[in-house]
Amino acid sequence: MGLLTATYGGMEIPVKITKLDRNLTPPINNNTKSLGNSNGVSFLYSNYGENTITFDYVIDNRTARNLSEFRRKTAGIIYSKEPQRLIFSDEPNLYYDAILSGQPNLNEDYLKSTGSMSFMVPDGLAHSVVEKTFNAAKNSSGILEATIVNNGTESVPIDYTITHKSENGYIGIVTKDGVIQLGDAGEQDGETRKRTEQLINYRTPEAYSAMTDGQGILGFNYPKNGTFKVVG
C-alpha cells in the first residue's frame, strides 16, 4: 500500500495511514425460521448491518510541541455529533457517511508516534460523489428512451429533468419499477393553447380609470327601478 491519506468532513486528517481495514462487505445477517420438527431452517431474507472502518497511522513529531498541536488539531477534525463524509485518497470519488467510534489512541514516541482510530458507517455503504447523467433519445416508435446504468451494488434515486420546447399538457415516465404520469393524458396530442393575455392590471391606481360605472352587461333583463322596503 502506497501513501494513503483521508479527509473527514472536508478536512484532511494529518496522518499517514499505514494499515487500513474497510472490509469487503458490511456484516451480513441471514434471517431464518425453524419449521417445526423438520431439519434445517427456512431462509427468510438477508440484510447487512453497520460497517466499521479502522486504520493505523504514523506521524512525525520532532518536538513535544508538534505532538501537542497534533492532538488538539486532530481531535477537532475527527470528532462530530453527526456522521460526516470520510474519503480516502485512493478512492476520491467515493465517500462513507461515518462517525468516530470508540476511543482513538495515540502512542507517543520519540520523533515518530503511532496510533489507530475507528469510524462507524451506519448504512454500511460507500457512496459516489459523482452524479451521472443519461440523456434520452427517440426510439423507433418516436418515444424518448434512456438506459440508466448503475454499476453500484445498491439502488439509487433518480432525478428527471424535462425541458419543454413547446406547449405540453402531459408527461409520462415508464420504468421497470412503475409509472409516473403528470397532466392530462388526453392532451398529449391536443391543440396548442394560446397564452393567456392580461387585459388590465388593477394593481396600480391608474388602472382604475379604465373602469366605468353602470356599463356592465346583465345576462337577464332585470328591472332598473323600484322601491326599497325595510321589514322590521
Side-chain angles (χ1 to χ4, degrees), residues 38 77 81 85 94 111 126 134 137 150 185 188 190 200 206 228:
S38 300
I77 294 174
K81 292 184 177 181
R85 289 190 176 189
L94 296 177
L111 296 182
F134 301 92
N150 176 16
Q188 55 182 322
I200 191 168
E206 294 79 7
F228 178 73

Side-chain angles (χ1 to χ4, degrees), residues 135-174:
N135 295 319
K138 286 186 178 181
N139 60 19
S140 58
S141 301
I143 299 174
L144 290 173
E145 186 177 64
T147 300
I148 298 174
V149 180
N150 176 16
N151 293 322
T153 58
E154 289 291 321
S155 60
V156 294
I158 300 174
D159 293 329
Y160 297 97
T161 300
I162 300 172
T163 302
H164 298 280
K165 295 183 179 180
S166 62
E167 189 275 338
N168 185 24
Y170 174 75
I171 296 173
I173 300 174
V174 181

Side-chain angles (χ1 to χ4, degrees), residues 20-42:
L20 175 62
D21 188 0
R22 283 171 283 199
N23 301 308
L24 288 176
T25 69
I28 304 299
N29 304 312
N30 293 317
N31 295 271
T32 61
K33 180 181 180 181
S34 298
L35 299 177
N37 296 326
S38 300
N39 295 326
V41 294
S42 175

Side-chain angles (χ1 to χ4, degrees), residues 6-13 53 75-88 94-101 118-123 125-127 129:
T7 61
Y8 185 65
M11 301 288 290
E12 182 174 354
I13 303 174
I53 297 175
I77 294 174
I78 63 177
Y79 176 72
S80 174
K81 292 184 177 181
E82 298 288 339
Q84 303 286 339
R85 289 190 176 189
L86 176 64
I87 301 176
F88 294 98
L94 296 177
Y95 71 90
Y96 301 87
D97 278 323
I99 191 166
L100 189 66
S101 178
S118 296
F119 289 85
M120 183 186 73
V121 183
D123 65 4
L125 300 174
H127 302 267
V129 299

